[in-house]
Amino acid sequence: MRTIGKNRGLARLADAEGHFRMVALDQRPPLFDAIAQAKGITRDKVEYADVTAAKRLLVEALAPHCSSMLFDPNFAVPAAIDLLPARCGLIMTLEEHRVEETPGGRKSRAITDWSVEKIRAIGGDAVKVLAWYRPDADPAVNEHQKRFVRSVGEDCAHHDIPYVLELLVYPFLGSANHTADYVESPGKLPRLVIDSVREFAKPEYGVDLLKLESPLAANSLPPRDGSAASKAAQKEFDAIGDICRQRNIPWVLLSGGAAPEKFERVLDFAYAAGAGGFLAGRTIWLDAVRSHFPDRAAVAASLRKDGVGVLERLNTLTKAKAKAWTARFPGFSEIRQEGDFARAY
């Protein structure tokens, strides 16, 4: 019986047809950088009020056009929880954006004073965790990441709330293309993405929805036109789809800041492999902030025109091609008299 809450939560994330059309607003460093660039200052000079103001503009413009939104507790909630429409699902991030960098890989942790229990208490519909992961990282680092992901899964099961796990491959400390933030590597290896999915799709982690990056760099992805290159690319997406299908886990794509037309191409391949939607952020709203902040009226106008335009194109593609999710509630054959359900749950 302890899956009713998870199914109800996933239903809140999707639209009425079962498609996940979700906007990410939990970004912290990428938004800090966009504001800093717009104001001509360094990241450390960005003020808290600027971040909350920007997030409020994003929610106001985009919330009417998506099925759910991803918030962080320290900026997005105080900035705009009052603007989130009642019919729009609320996903809450749990992980701290400041990771521990070691020569052998990255270690994740939860935001200080934040928990699955608190996310459920404020009315969150799902818990999201970003786990930086590379199968070829130091074994001790990977064990730390697995324990972290598993412990959150146990808490989500206890509170019967959906668990959304985001997986990202990253460059090692000291490598030529190292960055603390997520910037898609043009030379990333598909097997690192696929093997990461294979690991965390295991039942022991308790994941209910996977938020995944493209196994191939968006900028180098060919058109899905039946060519040899297209067929080879489709195999990489199909490998992910096969894993998720076998484990009965729905999956969506993150945008990674790709240009809108490039992300649409990623979705075309992913939807052919069985993906159920998107959870995208920077591709939709970054340019409006970076180009116009702190002119709030200009940011809002840009979001209404260009941001909503991108989002609606993603919505149209998703409704046409994505795999619809369907809730799977438990059977009630053993519930035969008053009190049976309350006792079973």
Side-chain angles (χ1 to χ4, degrees):
M1 301 299 173
R2 296 289 296 185
T3 60
I4 295 175
K6 286 177 174 285
N7 274 277
R8 290 285 298 168
L10 287 173
R12 291 273 300 149
L13 305 191
D15 61 23
E17 289 74 42
H19 295 125
F20 297 102
R21 301 183 291 103
M22 306 181 287
V23 174
L25 297 175
D26 69 322
Q27 289 89 342
R28 285 144 284 176
L31 185 57
F32 302 160
D33 287 340
I35 293 171
Q37 183 177 340
K39 297 184 72 174
I41 58 178
T42 56
R43 181 195 284 190
D44 62 301
K45 299 297 184 182
V46 173
E47 297 180 357
Y48 180 82
D50 282 341
V51 181
T52 55
K55 295 208 175 199
R56 188 170 182 83
L57 291 168
L58 299 181
V59 174
E60 189 170 36
L62 302 175
H65 305 276
C66 61
S67 63
S68 52
M69 285 192 146
L70 171 57
F71 276 30
D72 69 280
N74 289 328
F75 295 94
V77 170
I81 193 64
D82 61 308
L83 293 180
L84 193 69
R87 59 113 197 111
C88 189
L90 174 62
I91 315 164
M92 289 300 311
T93 197
L94 180 68
E95 88 283 346
E96 171 59 61
H97 67 274
R98 303 172 185 87
V99 298
E100 180 184 348
E101 286 267 19
T102 76
R106 292 179 181 175
K107 295 181 178 180
S108 301
R109 60 184 174 90
I111 293 170
T112 301
D113 296 325
W114 195 235
S115 65
V116 172
E117 182 178 14
K118 288 187 176 183
I119 290 173
R120 177 56 100 183
I122 69 163
D125 297 300
V127 174
K128 171 255 169 183
V129 162
L130 160 57
W132 299 96
Y133 189 78
R134 291 184 61 126
D136 57 348
D138 183 272
V141 170
N142 280 347
E143 280 306 309
H144 175 278
Q145 294 300 82
K146 291 175 184 178
R147 285 195 303 272
F148 175 61
V149 172
R150 190 182 299 113
S151 67
V152 176
E154 291 168 354
D155 286 346
C156 288
H158 176 72
H159 292 283
D160 206 0
I161 187 170
Y163 186 9
V164 180
L165 179 64
E166 176 180 4
L167 295 172
L168 285 177
V169 173
Y170 59 93
F172 285 123
L173 188 67
S175 63
N177 59 345
H178 177 266
T179 173
D181 301 326
Y182 178 66
V183 178
E184 187 175 57
S185 171
K188 67 179 173 182
L189 300 176
R191 66 173 179 82
L192 295 179
V193 177
I194 295 167
D195 287 349
S196 298
V197 175
R198 181 174 290 110
E199 173 63 35
F200 291 101
K202 294 176 181 177
E204 66 191 78
Y205 297 103
V207 175
D208 301 294
L209 178 67
L210 281 164
K211 177 187 178 186
L212 303 175
E213 63 181 315
S214 169
L216 297 165
N219 285 337
S220 62
L221 199 60
R224 192 169 175 272
D225 57 7
S227 64
S230 171
K231 291 178 180 177
Q234 189 64 59
K235 287 183 179 179
E236 308 293 3
F237 285 88
D238 288 346
I240 293 173
D242 289 343
I243 295 168
C244 293
R245 191 176 304 108
Q246 290 165 9
R247 295 297 188 182
N248 200 27
I249 300 176
W251 56 294
V252 298
L253 272 291
L254 61 90
S255 62
E261 65 276 9
K262 298 293 186 181
F263 185 50
E264 289 177 35
R265 184 172 292 183
V266 169
L267 290 179
D268 205 19
F269 280 93
Y271 290 163
F278 60 86
L279 179 42
R282 287 175 292 166
T283 292
I284 298 168
W285 51 254
L286 182 63
D287 187 62
V289 177
R290 190 168 51 194
S291 300
H292 301 291
F293 199 85
D295 186 336
R296 299 187 188 187
V299 173
S302 178
L303 287 169
R304 288 193 300 268
K305 180 177 180 291
D306 300 319
V308 170
V310 171
L311 181 52
E312 289 294 9
R313 288 197 300 276
L314 298 179
N315 286 339
T316 298
L317 179 62
T318 300
K319 291 177 181 180
K321 296 187 176 183
K323 179 179 175 59
W325 171 83
T326 303
R328 292 180 174 84
F329 290 103
F332 295 99
S333 59
E334 297 180 3
I335 307 301
R336 297 174 179 170
Q337 60 184 2
E338 181 181 355
D340 283 353
F341 175 77
R343 185 166 45 251
Y345 193 84

